Amino acid sequence: MISLTVTIFGWFGMVMLVIGFYLISNGSWNPRSIAYQTIQCIGCVFVTIDSLFRGAYPAAFLQIVVIIIAAKTINDVILKKAQEIEKMGDD
């Protein structure tokens, strides 16, 4: 039962990553958008679970790196928006 659950997690994560890639590729989303980076993080978390369960450590490592990059990008975007709002308040 655990194996089936982990497999479903893996497929769910892959679908999220493919949807994100499609939306970036056709220009619907900006690569620095919070929506895209969030779908990347969530998709990678599910793929990481599947990869670790199967002992695919290089794939899991790659997903963890992508999660870190996406989380940093989300943080940068939020901070930039906060600075822009603060600037508008100073005017």
Side-chain angles (χ1 to χ4, degrees):
M1 184 62 170
I2 291 175
S3 180
L4 176 62
T5 302
V6 171
T7 298
I8 291 169
F9 280 3
W11 279 106
F12 179 74
M14 291 301 291
V15 168
M16 291 185 76
L17 294 174
V18 169
I19 289 170
F21 181 68
Y22 173 76
L23 292 170
I24 285 294
S25 296
N26 76 8
S28 296
W29 278 356
N30 179 324
R32 290 189 52 83
S33 71
I34 291 176
Y36 173 68
Q37 296 300 329
T38 300
I39 203 170
Q40 284 288 106
C41 274
I42 295 169
C44 286
V45 166
F46 284 108
V47 172
T48 300
I49 292 167
D50 184 61
S51 298
L52 289 173
F53 182 78
R54 298 178 192 294
Y57 301 114
F61 177 78
L62 172 63
Q63 299 306 317
I64 291 167
V65 170
V66 172
I67 292 167
I68 292 167
I69 292 169
K72 182 185 180 322
T73 302
I74 290 169
N75 185 59
D76 292 348
V77 169
I78 290 171
L79 287 176
K80 184 177 179 185
K81 286 185 181 188
Q83 290 171 347
E84 290 171 359
I85 291 170
E86 189 177 303
K87 263 188 175 175
M88 288 179 7
D90 291 341
D91 293 339

